[in-house]
Amino acid sequence: MKEYVVLIVGDADRWWTSMSDEERAAGYAVYGRFGEELEKRGHTVTGGAELHRTSTARTIRAGGGPVTEGPFAESAESVGGFYQVRTADLDDLMECCRMLAELGDGIEVRPVVTDEERAS
């Protein structure tokens, strides 16, 4: 089994600025089905969260400096949430992630560095 982080990348603020209550509810229902599908297929969600809008971010630039209000960079895309998933079948996990991508956001899946990998 390997651990992966599924990053949901896109215009996360659109969920709060341009989607109707009905569209948002339908989107959240897809996320619910995604979690159910992961479990049904033998993947284990070990963590994750939806993130607040980018305007709530606080940032410290590389190299230090003061804390500033807002995101690190003005961008059309940002991470709006994530899942941490343990699985033995990355290809099937990617197939499940198509459900989320169909909502209009990009999905990036990256392996988590293990202690053994860090030591090498």
Side-chain angles (χ1 to χ4, degrees):
M1 297 287 258
K2 184 121 177 99
E3 198 98 14
Y4 295 90
V5 171
V6 176
L7 299 169
I8 299 137
V9 183
D11 179 5
D13 291 348
R14 77 183 167 94
W15 284 72
W16 305 107
T17 60
S18 64
M19 291 175 78
S20 69
D21 290 344
E22 293 80 21
E23 290 170 320
R24 203 169 23 259
Y28 282 132
V30 171
Y31 276 91
R33 288 193 303 277
F34 173 70
E36 292 166 2
E37 192 66 21
L38 289 176
E39 184 178 336
K40 183 172 96 177
R41 293 182 181 209
H43 308 286
T44 303
V45 175
T46 60
E50 177 180 7
L51 304 176
H52 279 276
R53 323 174 164 208
T54 57
S55 62
T56 65
R58 297 183 121 206
T59 303
I60 301 173
R61 302 281 180 211
V67 175
T68 60
E69 302 288 329
F72 181 76
E74 293 298 322
S75 170
E77 293 188 337
S78 62
V79 176
F82 67 97
Y83 287 84
Q84 191 158 341
V85 179
R86 186 178 310 117
T87 186
D89 190 345
L90 176 59
D91 291 333
D92 190 64
L93 172 60
M94 296 305 298
E95 190 60 36
C96 291
C97 288
R98 288 180 185 279
M99 296 173 69
L100 303 181
E102 289 172 359
L103 289 172
D105 292 316
I107 303 298
E108 181 178 333
V109 177
R110 296 175 58 185
V112 173
V113 176
T114 65
D115 290 339
E116 294 80 21
E117 292 167 326
R118 189 175 297 112
S120 61

